[in-house]
Structure formats: C-alpha cells, structure tokens
Amino acid sequence: MLSLNIVGAGRLGKVLGRLAQDSGRYRVAAVLCRERAHALEAAAFIGAVQAVDTLTDLPPADLTLVAVPDGAIAAVAQALAEAKVVRPGTVVFHASGACSSALLTPLAQQGAQVASLHPAFSFAEPERARQTFAGSLCALEGEALACERLAQLVAAIGGEAFYLPGEGKAGYHAALSIASNYLVTLVALAEGVAIQAGIEPAVARCLLGALMRQSLDNALALGPEAALTGPIVRGDVATVASHLAVLEPEQGDLYRALGQATVTLAGARLDAVQKQALREELGSGEWGVGSRE
Ligand SMILES: NC(=O)c1ccc[n+]([C@@H]2O[C@H](COP(=O)([O-])OP(=O)(O)OC[C@H]3O[C@@H](n4cnc5c(N)ncnc54)[C@H](OP(=O)(O)O)[C@@H]3O)[C@@H](O)[C@H]2O)c1
C-alpha cells in the first residue's frame, strides 16, 4: 500500500484523498491546511487520517499532493523544500490545470519526482464529487516516472489518464476555459438578444437551450465543420446584415468576431466570392480558427 500526504485538503484535495483511501491501494498518511479546523474536517471526510499543523509534522510518504490554490503552489513547494520533508525518489504533484510541474522545481532539485495531475472535473461539493468522479479524464504532465506512478493513482480512483507536454498546459487550460466558460457567455449573449427582440426570458431560455444542446451534440458527433448550419455557411449576407442591424455595440462586436471565425470554419462550403462578401459585412478583422483556410 502506498502512502499519500495532502498539503491543502480543500475541495479537490479532500476528494482525491477520499477516493485514494477508498481504493484500498493508497493510505492517506496526513493532511495539512492553513486552518487546523479545515484539516480536521478533511481528515474526517477522508477517514482514518492524521491532521497536522506544520509541514515539518508531515510523516514520510510515497506521494505528496500539493492541492493549494494555483497562486500558492510555488511558495508551498519552496517551503516543503526548506522543511526537507520530501524524500528523494518520492512523487510530488500539484493539481493545477494552467501551470506545469516546473512550479515544483525546488523539490525536483532535492531528488523528488515532480508532476502535475489535473482532473477535468469540478469539485464543487465533496460528497457529490466523490460519487460522480468515476470516468473523469485527468491530464498528467511532468517527469516520466512520476507520471507513470500517477497514472496508477488515476486508475485506482476511477479516472482516465492522458499525457500532456509541460509547454502544452497553458493551451490545454485555455481550451477548457473556452469550452466551459465561453459556452456560458454565449448563453448570456443569445438570451440577451432574444429578450431584446421581445421574447419572455423563460421562453428564451427554453428556446435557446434546446437549440444549443442539439448544436453541441451535432458538433461533438459530426465534428464542427459538418455540424455548421445557418446564414454564414449558406453565404446569406443579407441575413447577416439584418442581424447586425439589431445588435447592441458589444453584441455586434462578439457577433462579428464569431462570424469571422465561422466563415473560416465553413471552409470549402463557401466560394471565394461568398467569403469576401461575408468578411466585408462582418468587418475587416483578421479572425480565424487555426489553419483551416
Ligand atoms: N476545485 C476544482 O474543481 C478543481 C478542479 C481541478 C483542479 N483544481 C486545482 O486544485 C488545486 C486546489 O484547488 P481547490 O479548488 O481544491 O482549492 P480550495 O478549495 O481553495 O482549497 C485549497 C486548500 O489549500 C489550503 N491552503 C492554502 N494555502 C495553503 C498553504 N500555504 N499551506 C497549506 N495549505 C494551504 C487551504 O487551507 P484552508 O482551508 O485552511 O484555507 C485549502 O484547504 C488548485 O491547483 C486548482 O487549480 C481544482
């Protein structure tokens, strides 16, 4: 059985700890938070775990999870290195999606194997997260041996691991943010435009929700290019102009930016004349989605 210490047993730390403990293949040795009450609460949630007050109280462990907020990881890594509690050859990892394992360099310099393990999952409520985590994809990045050991941890807690290069972390996290956050922004944009057109808010949400779910399912099943419908891919400049005429300035800016990217996405489904006409109607910005054109 491998032992695991958790520094920062908040929303993510306590759930990963509980899943590891429940797997029967890991034993959570100790948890540490800033507030002792929080460490005790996490220890109770994980079960049969010691809550410690300082880094120097951490017992030796095979793996150390640094699950503090992203902005505190580097300082905690430095403090762990100064406390000399991480043994050479053991694994230290953090759970940030945006940052690489380079944040753990002071520990790598002492012989630890460093990596990052980012579950693409929201740990909003611990008990619910524990029950629904199975099948979640987890991005691993860092030293090969550490990634190998963390892939075993991911499998033990019911996740599915995949590998990322360290320099890919920012792009990986940007993709997740676009997919989750900007989808929400699109809901708000579309609802605002519908309400301005005189549609009741509750009706607008139903109307747009059904269409958005259908479009998302199509894009994921068929691929974005094949799933694209609507005035842009039809080359219907007059309809695009009628849309722009009723939008508020900020709505129009977003419509134009997304419209330019949609012209690029339409690719060979539009001829050069249609593309030129659409781009002129949408404004002259240099928008695009990668190198599809
Ligand atoms: N939450 C998610 O859904 C999610 C998903 C994927 C990845 N992540 C990543 O997981 C990591 C942790 O996020 P989280 O949402 O779990 O944060 P969180 O709920 O705010 O928990 C952070 C924990 O770190 C502790 N802490 C903060 N500074 C510390 C320090 N200097 N020394 C020791 N403990 C310290 C806090 O202690 P106190 O409670 O005493 O303040 C708290 O227990 C981040 O890297 C985040 O990007 C989170």
Side-chain angles (χ1 to χ4, degrees), residues 7-13 32-35 38 67-70 72-73 76 95-96 118-119 121-123:
V7 179
R11 279 166 294 196
L12 174 135
L32 169 65
C33 294
R34 285 177 303 190
E35 304 275 337
H38 295 171
V68 300
D70 287 13
I73 295 171
V76 169
S96 165
H118 179 254
F121 182 84
S122 176
F123 294 83

Side-chain angles (χ1 to χ4, degrees), residues 71-162:
I73 295 171
V76 169
Q78 183 61 41
L80 271 168
E82 284 166 13
K84 293 194 171 26
V85 286
V86 174
R87 290 177 305 167
T90 64
V91 173
V92 185
F93 63 110
H94 68 67
S96 165
C99 308
S100 82
S101 55
L103 289 181
L104 304 174
T105 297
L107 295 155
Q109 287 167 344
Q110 293 184 346
Q113 299 283 328
V114 301
S116 63
L117 184 172
H118 179 254
F121 182 84
S122 176
F123 294 83
E125 198 282 309
E127 184 52 33
R128 186 174 156 71
R130 179 186 78 78
Q131 289 174 20
T132 55
F133 180 80
S136 298
L137 283 167
C138 297
L140 295 181
E141 165 280 326
E143 293 177 26
L145 185 59
C147 286
E148 205 177 296
R149 294 210 199 155
L150 292 178
Q152 290 162 3
L153 171 64
V154 169
I157 64 176
E160 289 191 28
F162 69 99

Side-chain angles (χ1 to χ4, degrees), residues 101-260:
S101 55
L103 289 181
L104 304 174
T105 297
L107 295 155
Q109 287 167 344
Q110 293 184 346
Q113 299 283 328
V114 301
S116 63
L117 184 172
H118 179 254
F121 182 84
S122 176
F123 294 83
E125 198 282 309
E127 184 52 33
R128 186 174 156 71
R130 179 186 78 78
Q131 289 174 20
T132 55
F133 180 80
S136 298
L137 283 167
C138 297
L140 295 181
E141 165 280 326
E143 293 177 26
L145 185 59
C147 286
E148 205 177 296
R149 294 210 199 155
L150 292 178
Q152 290 162 3
L153 171 64
V154 169
I157 64 176
E160 289 191 28
F162 69 99
Y163 296 91
L164 268 180
E167 61 275 15
K169 289 281 314 241
Y172 158 75
H173 200 251
L176 296 183
S177 301
I178 292 166
S180 60
N181 310 154
Y182 292 178
L183 185 65
V184 175
T185 307
L186 279 182
V187 172
L189 173 66
E191 278 190 4
V193 174
I195 291 164
Q196 279 162 219
I199 299 169
E200 285 291 322
V203 176
R205 186 157 294 179
C206 278
L207 172 79
L208 298 167
L211 192 61
M212 288 185 86
R213 286 192 186 94
Q214 191 186 15
S215 299
L216 180 61
D217 285 346
N218 286 343
L220 296 175
L222 307 173
E225 290 92 341
L228 195 58
T229 60
I232 289 187
V233 76
R234 286 197 299 272
D236 184 350
V237 180
T239 298
V240 170
S242 75
H243 293 173
L244 286 167
V246 297
L247 298 179
E248 300 289 341
E250 192 182 346
Q251 294 167 343
D253 289 345
L254 279 166
Y255 185 101
R256 284 189 182 83
L258 292 164
Q260 294 282 8

